[in-house]
Amino acid sequence: MMTLVLNDSTQKQYEQYHLYPERGLLNDPNGLVYFKGKYHVFYQWNPNECDHSQKYWGHFISDDLKHWVRLDAALAPSEMEDAGGVYSGSAFVKDEKLYLFYTGNRRDENGKSIASTQMLAASEDGIDFKKLGSIFDHPTGYTKDVRDPMVWQGKNGHYYLILGARPNNNIGDIIIYESTDFLKWRFRGSLIEGELQNVRGYMLECPNLIKVDGKDVLIFSPQGLAADQANHRYENIYNTGYVVGKFNEETAHFEAETNFKELDQGFEFYAPQTMQLENGRQIMWGWAGIMPPEREQTLPTIESKNWAHVLTVPRELHIIDDELIQTAIPEILEVKEIKNVTDMQSLGVGQYLINTQDNWKLHFGMDMTLERLGQSLILSRRQWDNNIVEERVAIGQHDNILMIVDHDIIEVFTDDGKQVMTARYF
Ligand code: FRU
């Protein structure tokens, strides 16, 4: 089991494998980094309400990716530019300092977001951060929706920073900046000019450009894709996926070599980020909570526990034949093998391996089932907000399945790690 040190010692740890907030609402994982001997997972956090009206950076740390401690918020709204929310961003380690790049959100007197500013904070110890302010002006040709900076250093030694962006023409974009000194950032335009025409929606959030097994992988979360039910794609309110390709440092352009593929076939998965470990391992966390607003407002944990949403378990990424393979990291595994799954009616909290070519059906709580029918793995859930039964389907090879079952979330790894299904259940 994962352990989480709780600030209030009268409480019992609720989720057994998943990070969740002490109170309020959690969304995107942010600033995932290994720094001075500790793993840091920051996250979008509204400590005051179970809604999106305000955002801080919450903070978990760990020595081993298994035992976690919740710390005080690392970043809170304090400046004119981030008074309406310290929005998502990423971490970068340089000269023994931990830098956090983030988006400052500004709101008008009615709470409507009106401006975004890309900002920086720095820390010597990874705990206390000093804000360094805005790093460049808003680009022209783009609406106020420009956010979620992610930074890396190229082979040429230059620094690159990408952002999700909604241009004035409302076709989602990722823009890129370059710096030689980490101080002055030069706008290089669109990272994906002429690429990915059908999967941009009107806005792309949380872009990540990472190396996995020597390949460049671009992960992003488009908003506004039409659902394609026939092919079981893009069926959630917003979606997340990846393409494999090549980033050219000279031209600051990413050329896609594969089609866009969703990272998760379940109901709740969004805005993931990765942590690169010193040995090159890439570990991804996602937000297991994207859902329609009516469903979010009626989330059972809000009434019973005064908090909303969890992060997924950490998933290690690999590339085989240009496809991303996800596996729960070995550090958290403690698996029971299930031989005779056909008899199994309902599974409680635990981790299970199912190795069989037979068909089967499992129950999770009263309202969710998972059924294997040959090449189809069918997740079916009666939605708690409207009682409508919806399905998500993964088509593939389902002879070997790893299932991580927690109190109110399951993560199902199937098709040799090529597909994962994440879903909350109550
Ligand atoms: C994604 C997102 C980001 C933004 C953050 C605000 O879920 O909308 O684009 O920075 O959440 O909490």
Side-chain angles (χ1 to χ4, degrees), residues 339-364:
K339 299 229 164 59
N340 197 2
V341 77
T342 32
D343 296 343
M344 189 74 59
Q345 278 307 292
S346 102
L347 285 187
V349 172
Q351 303 182 357
Y352 308 91
L353 266 183
I354 303 179
N355 297 309
T356 175
Q357 297 179 348
D358 296 340
N359 290 331
W360 45 262
K361 185 169 183 173
L362 296 171
H363 294 256
F364 300 91

Side-chain angles (χ1 to χ4, degrees), residues 27-28 44 52 55 87-88 147-148 205-206 270-271 287:
N27 56 302
D28 315 352
Q44 285 288 282
H52 295 268
K55 293 295 164 67
Y87 274 11
S88 285
R147 56 180 172 264
D148 311 335
E205 294 189 314
C206 301
Y270 197 65
W287 169 34

Side-chain angles (χ1 to χ4, degrees), residues 209-274:
L209 182 52
I210 56 170
K211 272 242 184 305
V212 184
D213 298 331
K215 288 275 184 172
D216 293 336
V217 180
L218 181 64
I219 296 175
F220 56 94
S221 296
Q223 299 185 313
L225 299 188
D228 172 3
Q229 265 156 347
N231 293 303
H232 311 295
R233 285 194 304 204
Y234 318 143
E235 295 185 277
N236 296 327
I237 168 167
Y238 303 131
N239 305 282
T240 298
Y242 71 95
V243 289
V244 179
K246 269 201 190 73
F247 175 65
N248 182 322
E249 293 183 347
E250 279 302 300
T251 57
H253 179 260
F254 177 84
E255 184 188 347
E257 293 176 347
T258 65
N259 287 328
F260 180 74
K261 187 172 173 207
E262 270 179 284
L263 275 168
D264 196 288
Q265 292 295 122
F267 287 103
E268 281 94 22
F269 183 87
Y270 197 65
Q273 265 198 27
T274 64

